[in-house]
Amino acid sequence: MLYDCRSAADRDKGIAAAIEAVKNGELVVLPTDTVYGVGADAFTSYAVTALLNAKGRDRQMPPPVLVGSRHTLDGLVLILPQPARDLADAFWPGALTMIVEHAPSLNWDLGDTDGTVAIRMPLHPVALEVLRETGPMAVSSANKTGRPPAVTAAEARDQLGYSVRAYLEAGPCPDPVPSTIVDLTGDVPRVVRDGAIPIEKLRDVVPDIIGTES
């Protein structure tokens, strides 16, 4: 079902329906500050599998994880490198995804991650309201693999159909540029995907970060 979150009544109903769906292991589509995402409870393995199946992806392309609080990051990693802490302080919530080593004790299965996870805190009130109730969600762009990312929930519904329980519509994405991805698992932070946050701004915080051109 599609809920128009631009209406106060529909927004409350939609967010409640999305939270219930995620807790029941079902998929939801929600707006973010980049493009719309299709998400599931990160700790429910069959829900993550359903997400990958809905997109037409295999386990070799594990989804990122979205969180609703900066402090959630500390609970998901064993040791958070100082550059990751500095980048999160500077750019979260926002269009920065960080790849870090997750805590080995976590009871999740996101796919073939090799002990790492890509994490982001989005700058969107609807997404944050859902995430603060559900906890970490596995979220990928709300489209079939190989097709353009959806910039409205209606576009996502056209692609994903009945595989998703609740669609939260908040209108067209204002700036549908993907997040910048920084890998922080090595000795030196490295940009692995250019996106909404340019490397010049990242270097204001972490001067030795390596760009994709290197």
Side-chain angles (χ1 to χ4, degrees):
M1 186 168 178
L2 190 144
Y3 299 88
D4 190 343
C5 294
R6 293 167 292 188
S7 153
D10 229 24
R11 185 183 192 276
D12 291 343
K13 290 179 184 175
I15 287 174
I19 292 168
E20 181 181 9
V22 172
K23 290 183 176 180
N24 288 337
E26 297 175 291
L27 304 185
V28 300
V29 161
L30 66 167
T32 77
D33 48 336
T34 55
V35 296
Y36 277 73
V38 56
D41 177 18
F43 294 96
T44 302
S45 59
Y46 67 81
V48 176
T49 299
L51 186 159
L52 295 173
N53 290 341
K55 283 185 61 73
R57 266 188 186 178
D58 57 27
R59 289 176 54 83
Q60 280 69 51
M61 298 181 73
V65 169
L66 295 190
V67 296
S69 163
R70 158 71 181 80
H71 302 292
T72 305
L73 179 62
D74 294 308
L76 298 178
V77 298
L78 190 60
I79 299 174
L80 187 65
Q82 189 59 47
R85 198 176 298 279
D86 294 340
L87 288 169
D89 287 343
F91 298 109
W92 278 15
L96 176 68
T97 299
M98 299 191 299
I99 301 174
V100 294
E101 294 180 1
H102 68 72
S105 59
L106 290 182
N107 185 27
W108 65 13
D109 182 8
L110 300 172
D112 297 338
T113 64
D114 197 28
T116 67
V117 62
I119 305 181
R120 184 165 90 86
M121 181 182 176
L123 180 58
H124 196 288
V126 172
L128 290 174
E129 193 167 340
V130 173
L131 287 161
R132 283 167 182 157
E133 291 297 323
T134 63
M137 288 177 59
V139 179
S140 187
S141 57
N143 58 285
K144 291 285 190 181
T145 298
R147 295 182 63 182
V151 296
T152 66
E155 282 186 16
R157 185 174 60 178
D158 289 342
Q159 295 193 46
L160 302 174
Y162 291 108
S163 62
V164 173
R165 177 72 173 183
Y167 290 86
L168 302 186
E169 180 67 83
C173 297
D175 190 17
V177 178
S179 65
T180 301
I181 302 179
V182 178
D183 186 344
L184 292 132
T185 61
D187 293 333
V188 180
R190 177 186 293 272
V191 176
V192 294
R193 184 179 75 185
D194 292 317
I197 300 175
I199 192 165
E200 293 78 18
K201 287 190 175 181
L202 298 175
R203 283 181 174 149
D204 287 342
V205 178
V206 181
D208 63 343
I209 195 166
I210 298 172
T212 55
E213 73 282 356
S214 302

